[in-house]
Amino acid sequence: MSVLERAQAAPLAPRPSVVNDFSLVVATANGTGSQTANLTLLRSFFKLGLPVHGKNIFPSNIQGLPTWYHIRVSHEGYIARKPAEILVAFNPATAPEDVRALPAGGVCLYHTDLKGLPQRDDLTYYPVPAAELVAGIEVPVKRRPYLANMAYVGVLAWMLGLPLSVIEGALAVQFDHRPKLVEDNLEVVRRAHAWASEHLTKRDPYRVEPMNKTEGLILMTGNEAGALGAVFGGVSVAAWYPITPSTSFMDALREFLSKLRRDEEGHPTYAIVQAEDELAAAGIVMGAGWAGARALTATSGPGLSLMAEFVSYGYFAEIPAVIWDIQRVGPSTGLPTRTSQGDVAFAYTLGHGDTKHPILLPSSIEECFEFGWKAFDLAEVLQTPVFVLSDLDLGMNNWMGRPFAYPDRPMQRGKVLGAEALEAQGGFARYKDVDGDGIPYRTLPGTPHPRAAYFTRGSGHNEEAQYSERAEDYVRIMARLARKFETARRLVPPPAVAHTPGARLGVIAYGTTRYAIEEAKDRLAQKLPFSFLRLRALPIGPEVRDFVAAHEQVCVIEMNRDGQVHGILRAELPEFAPRLRSVAYLDGLPLTAEWVMARLTEEAQRPM
C-alpha cells in the first residue's frame, strides 16, 4: 500500500482547527530554484496580514546539497525558529530523516517521485505530482524543474485556504510585475490547487485566515537595511572582497547608491571598489576615512582576520572607519552558510597590542538601518574604527519591520578643525587630549592653513604627532586611548531592558537570539519569570552593571561555544562574576524558544 493509499484509508479523527499558527519547512536541493516558491509563500502570508518570518538554511556549495526553508507563522507575533509541523519533502536525500523528525500530528506534502518514504500512522500525507502539473506549459526545458516547485505552493494553498489572488500579488512582487513570468508560475499554482481540490481530502487542522498585523510593515533583509542606513549616513567610499554572507550587503549598497548618489549630470558621487583581498579593502577604507570620507567595508570572520593589521593601524593612528561583520560559523572556513555570534571577542580587541573597539549589535532590520548611519557618527566622533556585528540569519533572511526612521540629527563629524579655528588658536597638537575625554582634535587634508598638516602615525608618536620611542610618550598616548574608550561607554547605544518585578533571574543576550528569548520569556512567565537585557553595543555602560546587581543569577545567552560576551562581562564586572553564567551553544542554526526554556529551567535549578 502506498503512502497516499495508507493515509486515505486511515480513519478521519476530529481535530480542532489551528489557525495562523504553524511552522512550515520546505526541504529541497540547493540550485533547484525553490527560493522563488518559498519567497512567494512568505510574501503571501505577509500580504494576508499574518506575522511571518522565513529562514533559509542552505549549503555552502553552489548546487546539489540539501537546503531547508523555514517559515514561521504566528498570530501571536513570534518569529523564532520552530521545529517543523508541516513538511514539504522534495529532496530524496533528506526525505526519510525529515519525515521521521515531524511530530505526531504533523503534515507531509511529498513529491510523488520520492521512493521509500517512511510511513507513519500519526502523520497526514499529501502527494504533489509536480511533473504532471507542469506538463504542457510552454517554457524552456531548463526552466521546467524550477517551475515545478510552484506545485507545492498550489497544494499548500489548497490545504491552508490561502487565496490564489494573494499568491498572484506575491508573484507580481517577486517577478517585478513581468507578466509572462507571473503567469507561467501562477498557472502551475492554479493547476496544483485544482488537482488537490479534486483528488485530496483535507485531514489536517491547519489553516490561515486574514489578519491585519502586518499593515504598515515592510519585508527586508538585514543586509539591505544596513546598506540603506549607510547611504543615509553619508557613505561615499566602500571597499570589499566577496565573502558569504556579506556579499549581499555590498550588492544592496551598490544598488542604493546608483539610484541615490548622482550629481545633476548623472555622474556617481561615490566609489565602490572590489579590492584584491580583505587587507587591501581595509586599507582603502582607512585611507578614505583619513581623507574625510565616510567609508565602510563589509566582510565575515575569515575576512576580518585579514583586516587585523589595518584595523590596528586605524586604532593607533585614530582614523574613523566602519566595518560590517556579518558573522558565520568558524573557526577557519567553518560552516560558511550557517549563523553564529562567534566574532564578538575577536572584533572587540582586533589588532596586535592593546586595542579595543566599539561594537554595535543590531537585532532587527530597524536597528540595521539605525546603526548603518549611527556607526559613521560614532566613528568620526571617536576617531576610530567601529564594528557592526550582524549575523547570517539577520543579514540574508527577510524580516518584518516598521518603515525606517529618518536620521534625527545632522551628521556628527566630531572634533574637526577648520582654517579659522586653527588661526584663532595658533595651531593644534594632533594627539593631545584637550577636553579630558580622550578624544583629540584633527584636521582634514586640504585644509587651507599651514598649521593643518601633521604626520599620521602608526608607529610610536607623541602628542604633536612626532615620531617617538620615549617610554613616557607611549604610556601617555595609550592612557589617553583607554580614556577615549571610557568615553565610548556613554556614546554607544544603550541596552534594551525589560524588567520583570520580583524576578530573581536575569538574562543578557544580543542580536537575533532575542526572538527565541522573548518567546521563552512569555511562555515561562508563570513558571520561571525573568528579566531581559539586550545589549545593543559594547563597551557596556552603567545600565548593565545595575541589571546584574539587581538579580541573583544572570544567564548570558549567545550563539558561540565559549561564551564570549559572558567572558567580557566577567572581566568588566569582576565583583559580579559569580552570579554570571554562560548559556552558550552553537550548531549553526538560530535558537528556538524550546531550547531557551529548557536551558534556563536547568540553570535555575543549579545552586549558586
Side-chain angles (χ1 to χ4, degrees), residues 283-297:
I284 292 169
V285 168
M286 294 301 164
W290 170 83
R294 290 196 152 188
L296 69 76
T297 186

Side-chain angles (χ1 to χ4, degrees), residues 324 360-364 367-368 371 388-390 394 511-512 536:
W324 279 77
L360 304 183
L361 300 165
S363 68
S364 63
E367 287 185 336
C368 283
F371 295 170
V388 186
L389 264 58
S390 177
L394 178 56
T512 53
R536 301 207 305 149

Side-chain angles (χ1 to χ4, degrees), residues 41 109 127-130 133-134 148-167 185-202 208:
L41 285 169
L109 286 75
V128 183
L133 292 169
V134 299
N149 291 307
M150 300 311 274
Y152 65 72
V153 176
V155 176
L156 278 169
W158 162 82
M159 172 189 149
L160 295 170
L162 181 62
L164 295 185
S165 59
V166 175
I167 295 176
N185 284 270
L186 187 60
E187 176 60 22
V188 179
V189 175
R190 291 195 191 105
R191 289 184 178 192
H193 189 278
W195 182 90
S197 300
E198 180 179 352
H199 293 90
L200 301 180
T201 300
K202 183 171 172 64
V208 295

Side-chain angles (χ1 to χ4, degrees), residues 70-91:
H70 294 242
I71 295 178
R72 174 84 183 270
V73 171
S74 169
H75 62 87
E76 296 176 286
Y78 299 127
I79 58 174
R81 184 176 67 90
K82 185 180 180 183
E85 296 160 321
I86 303 170
L87 168 70
V88 175
F90 262 48
N91 186 355

Side-chain angles (χ1 to χ4, degrees), residues 491-570:
L491 297 180
V492 298
V497 185
H499 279 290
T500 298
R504 301 168 62 187
L505 174 65
V507 170
I508 294 177
Y510 53 98
T512 53
T513 58
R514 70 176 282 191
Y515 301 103
I517 295 168
E518 288 172 344
E519 182 175 350
K521 187 174 187 296
D522 290 347
R523 302 203 185 285
L524 288 174
Q526 300 302 318
K527 178 182 177 183
L528 181 61
F530 64 86
S531 301
F532 179 31
L533 180 145
R534 180 171 60 83
L535 290 172
R536 301 207 305 149
L538 292 173
I540 62 170
E543 303 92 345
V544 180
R545 178 183 296 274
D546 293 343
F547 181 87
V548 175
H551 296 86
E552 295 179 13
Q553 183 181 7
V554 178
C555 292
V556 184
I557 298 177
E558 47 192 320
M559 291 189 298
N560 53 60
R561 185 193 67 183
D562 295 339
Q564 296 179 16
V565 165
H566 172 257
I568 292 171
L569 294 177
R570 283 173 60 91

Side-chain angles (χ1 to χ4, degrees), residues 174-194:
Q174 179 70 25
F175 292 111
D176 198 22
H177 300 276
R178 287 174 286 183
K180 173 62 174 170
L181 290 174
V182 172
E183 185 55 36
D184 286 347
N185 284 270
L186 187 60
E187 176 60 22
V188 179
V189 175
R190 291 195 191 105
R191 289 184 178 192
H193 189 278

